[in-house]
Amino acid sequence: MNRLQSLFQTLRTQHPLTTGKQAIRAIDWSWTTPHKAWLPQVTGRDVRADLIAALTGAIVVLPQGVAFATIAGMPPEYGLYAGMVPAIIAAWFGSSRHLVSGPTTAASVVLFSALSTMAVPGTPDYVTLALTLTFMVGVIELTLGFARMGALVNFISHSVVVGFTAGAAVLIAAKQLKHFFGVEMDSGGHLHDILFEFFRHVLEINPSATLVALATLGLGIACKRWLPRIPYMIVAMLGGSLLALGLDTWFGAETTDIATVGALPATLPPLSAPSLTLEHIRELAPVALAVTLFALTEAVSIARSLAARGGYRIDGNQEFIGQGLSNIAGSFFSGYVATGSFNRSGVNYEAGARTPLASIFAAFMLMAIVLLVAPYASYLPKAAMAGVLFLVAWGLIDFKEIRHILHSSGRETGVLAVTFFSALFLDLEFAIFAGVLLSLVLYLDRTSKPRIVSMAPDPRLPKHAFSSNPDVVQCPQLRFVRIDGSLFFGSVAHVEQYFDRLRAEHPEQKHLALIANGINFVDLQGGHALVEEAMRRRKEGGGMYLINVKQGLWESLEQCGCLEATGGRNVFQSKTAAVRAIYQKLDKTVCATCDKRIFQECNEAKPA
């Protein structure tokens, strides 16, 4: 009994039991406090800049929210609700300083196409399905964030981000043509559809609306260039609104026919609840997964784009968590699927926002505007809004970086072009997938063809160091080869073809020494390729040797059982040791008549 007590005491000392409180403390709760990374550094100047940007963003979301809700088949006020609570939650729990979440054109279109076959748009059943879908999307996003799947965004290369941003910017401007010129037309579809539709109605251009849009655009450009401290977007919108009011007063509203945003409902988002019945969950599950992948890709792409321009990095996992929490909260506050908005995020960035407080302030300002100023939104011309969005679109195109990519890399230029034109002429979300897929294909193509060069001692270099210069004399019996790249199933064929060509073109060089400091690892197939080459060389009376083997390569060869098969004694940690050992295995009858004498051992053995 005493022995058992002693044993338990020892175990308790060496392996203390974890209490419930200790287990809770051990859980990583840092995802709940991402604001600690930026909130302590906020200054009064940052708050002022964020307030100005927030006011601009709150004004911009007014007409957009109503328009997006209409596109989604939801009552108009739901577009405004989706820009309130979800925007606050996403900003507080996300990692981006400029991303603004809320309703978007693409998300609204996806929602409508998915739910319109299940219920009549605008009806209570349709709204319930939308809320349920929003909740499910949020849960999936949150789960992916907790599973630390945010690393998926690392596959979105910089060229994809630049091309996607430029393409989306052009689309933003194209979709505003109807408001810029006061034309009644369908602005849905891809760029060519919009332009074709616009040219069909070009004779219907409204001179008054066009004048307001041009004045707003010109005022914004002038203010941004010569008065950079003044919030040029607000000044431009106010100037355009006053001009429209003056034209209506002078010529009459019926003559000018300048369309305005119109009166908005003055209510805060009411509480709501998704329908989590098994039938609805089963019915919406495929749609929820598709919408989740699209929404996350859009949000993180925008966040990465703005982070690159703002000089900071985002945490993909935290962004997933922020988006998930925002949609879960939105489903209980009358909001439908929210994701990162290119329009409002671009406005937020261009308006000078510095921290996520800008998005939070904008959401609260939107609430105040809806309650107090919504009826006066009827004085805000859509043409002025279009002029401001033209400015935003222009600012989103990074011409300097585009020129840099075009002059730096043909591969990256291809990725940029595919992403850009896919955004213009295909679906916006497909542009990201196309760019990422092409980036991966080009990466695999590059890694599947590792650089392989022949090397030999160069008498022109100090201590006759090894060189890859093709003019360097080679030993008639021994070939040194350096492989820069890992040996895996994708690159094995390329390496084997090189070995076969080497054997066919230089059959007298029966000994092959691989300088392996450029090889990080081998997989099973790559290890078998080395084993087969070593066996062929031995059958022909030669051998294969490994030089400068890294720890990772050593472990990989041991794991696949290939180290001994290739010849454990044929592994050297320096070229000097390899030459000294391999020289003993060369055919001395060939050495006796050789005039190359490229190794020190050759000269030492030279007869007097």
Side-chain angles (χ1 to χ4, degrees):
M1 188 69 176
N2 291 333
R3 288 184 179 179
L4 284 175
Q5 289 177 345
S6 176
L7 177 61
F8 285 139
Q9 181 63 34
T10 303
L11 289 173
R12 191 178 295 113
T13 303
Q14 296 179 353
H15 306 283
L17 295 175
T18 303
T19 65
K21 291 183 179 179
Q22 289 173 331
I24 291 174
R25 290 194 199 102
I27 298 174
D28 183 11
W29 294 98
S30 61
W31 65 270
T32 62
T33 57
H35 58 275
K36 288 184 177 179
W38 56 267
L39 191 59
Q41 303 172 7
V42 174
T43 64
R45 183 175 296 179
D46 293 333
V47 174
R48 286 193 296 274
D50 287 342
L51 283 170
I52 294 173
L55 180 58
T56 307
I59 295 174
V60 167
V61 77
L62 281 172
Q64 289 186 346
V66 174
F68 293 157
T70 304
I71 293 172
M74 300 285 287
E77 60 271 18
Y78 279 78
L80 299 175
Y81 299 155
M84 295 178 183
V85 175
I88 295 172
I89 301 296
W92 187 253
F93 288 99
S95 64
S96 174
R97 300 180 186 179
H98 297 100
L99 183 69
V100 180
S101 288
T104 64
T105 305
S108 300
V109 171
V110 172
L111 185 79
F112 178 81
S113 62
L115 300 184
S116 58
T117 58
M118 303 179 188
V120 178
T123 61
D125 290 340
Y126 186 91
V127 172
T128 300
L129 286 175
L131 295 173
T132 305
L133 178 64
T134 302
F135 179 83
M136 294 174 65
V137 167
V139 170
I140 298 175
E141 289 175 332
L142 192 62
T143 303
L144 291 175
F146 285 146
R148 307 197 66 79
M149 298 297 288
L152 293 173
V153 304
N154 294 333
F155 292 100
I156 305 176
S157 71
H158 181 62
S159 299
V160 173
V161 173
V162 173
F164 177 70
T165 306
V170 173
L171 280 180
I172 289 172
K175 289 180 180 295
Q176 295 301 317
L177 286 174
K178 61 181 293 186
H179 299 309
F180 196 96
F181 293 100
V183 176
E184 287 295 328
M185 55 172 271
D186 180 15
S187 61
H190 307 302
L191 179 64
H192 56 282
D193 299 321
I194 298 172
L195 293 178
F196 178 75
E197 192 69 15
F198 174 71
F199 285 117
R200 281 187 55 209
H201 296 80
V202 71
L203 297 179
E204 303 170 13
I205 288 178
N206 184 336
S208 300
T210 305
L211 178 61
V212 170
L214 288 173
T216 304
L217 180 61
L219 184 59
I221 293 173
C223 195
K224 184 178 181 180
R225 181 172 182 179
W226 290 298
L227 300 171
R229 295 186 178 182
I230 297 178
Y232 67 94
M233 290 188 182
I234 294 178
V235 171
M237 281 191 287
L238 288 176
S241 300
L242 290 175
L243 176 60
L245 183 61
L247 291 174
D248 286 344
T249 304
W250 187 266
F251 297 104
E254 291 153 2
T255 303
T256 58
D257 194 24
I258 300 174
T260 60
V261 172
L264 300 173
T267 56
L268 290 178
L271 293 176
S272 58
S275 173
L276 301 179
T277 63
L278 186 60
E279 180 184 356
H280 281 162
I281 292 175
R282 186 173 59 251
E283 190 177 19
L284 293 173
V287 178
L289 182 59
V291 173
T292 298
L293 295 177
F294 159 72
L296 284 178
T297 304
E298 186 175 26
V300 176
S301 298
I302 298 167
R304 280 197 61 185
S305 172
L306 295 177
R309 305 193 69 183
Y312 62 94
R313 291 184 177 89
I314 66 164
D315 181 346
N317 296 316
Q318 192 63 46
E319 209 58 54
F320 281 23
I321 291 172
Q323 292 295 314
L325 291 174
S326 73
N327 277 308
I328 291 174
S331 67
F332 292 98
F333 286 91
S334 300
Y336 68 93
V337 175
T339 183
S341 166
F342 235 118
N343 281 3
R344 292 188 299 286
S345 298
V347 168
N348 192 43
Y349 180 84
E350 291 294 323
R354 299 184 180 183
T355 74
L357 289 176
S359 300
I360 297 172
F361 290 156
F364 282 113
M365 286 181 182
L366 177 61
M367 296 179 189
I369 290 173
V370 168
L371 288 176
L372 305 175
V373 193
Y376 299 100
S378 57
Y379 294 103
L380 180 62
K382 293 181 179 180
M385 290 294 306
V388 169
L389 290 176
F390 265 48
L391 284 172
V392 171
W394 180 263
L396 287 175
I397 303 176
D398 194 340
F399 292 100
K400 181 179 178 181
E401 191 58 32
I402 291 173
R403 284 194 297 271
H404 176 68
I405 293 173
L406 293 178
H407 289 94
S408 300
S409 170
R411 290 173 177 265
E412 295 302 321
T413 298
V415 173
L416 172 71
V418 167
T419 309
F420 176 73
F421 289 110
S422 296
L424 295 183
F425 301 110
L426 301 173
D427 293 332
L428 197 60
E429 63 274 19
F430 178 78
I432 302 171
F433 296 137
V436 170
L437 182 61
L438 181 59
S439 297
L440 291 176
V441 168
L442 293 176
Y443 169 76
L444 290 174
D445 178 67
R446 186 162 54 245
T447 56
S448 67
K449 298 175 182 176
R451 183 170 176 260
I452 306 176
V453 293
S454 293
M455 303 191 73
D458 192 339
R460 296 167 295 186
L461 298 178
K463 298 182 179 180
H464 288 203
F466 275 68
S467 169
S468 59
N469 192 316
D471 297 331
V472 176
V473 177
Q474 295 285 338
C475 172
Q477 299 186 69
L478 171 61
R479 168 79 62 162
F480 278 85
V481 170
R482 189 184 70 207
I483 300 178
D484 296 330
S486 298
L487 297 180
F488 67 106
F489 65 92
S491 63
V492 165
H494 177 72
V495 175
E496 288 179 333
Q497 288 172 6
Y498 182 87
F499 287 160
D500 293 341
R501 188 167 64 252
L502 202 61
R503 227 179 300 105
E505 295 176 357
H506 305 280
E508 72 283 358
Q509 290 181 321
K510 298 179 181 180
H511 297 272
L512 176 65
L514 296 181
I515 301 174
N517 55 344
I519 305 175
N520 293 318
F521 76 95
V522 297
D523 64 1
L524 187 60
Q525 193 170 340
H528 286 168
L530 294 180
V531 171
E532 290 174 4
E533 183 63 20
M535 293 174 64
R536 287 195 188 98
R537 294 274 173 179
R538 279 200 294 267
K539 286 181 180 179
E540 295 171 357
M544 191 184 77
Y545 316 91
L546 298 177
I547 306 172
N548 293 340
V549 177
K550 290 182 177 180
Q551 182 68 25
L553 175 59
W554 188 284
E555 293 174 354
S556 300
L557 288 172
E558 281 189 328
Q559 288 175 2
C560 68
C562 301
L563 192 59
E564 287 302 322
T566 55
R569 296 181 179 179
N570 291 341
V571 179
F572 306 94
Q573 289 307 109
S574 71
K575 290 188 284 291
T576 302
V579 170
R580 188 176 297 115
I582 300 172
Y583 178 78
Q584 306 302 324
K585 302 179 182 182
L586 299 181
D587 187 343
K588 295 304 183 290
T589 59
V590 177
C591 291
T593 59
C594 177
D595 59 350
K596 302 297 187 291
R597 305 288 175 179
I598 65 174
F599 301 121
Q600 183 179 353
E601 287 75 7
C602 300
N603 296 317
E604 291 175 353
K606 184 177 180 180

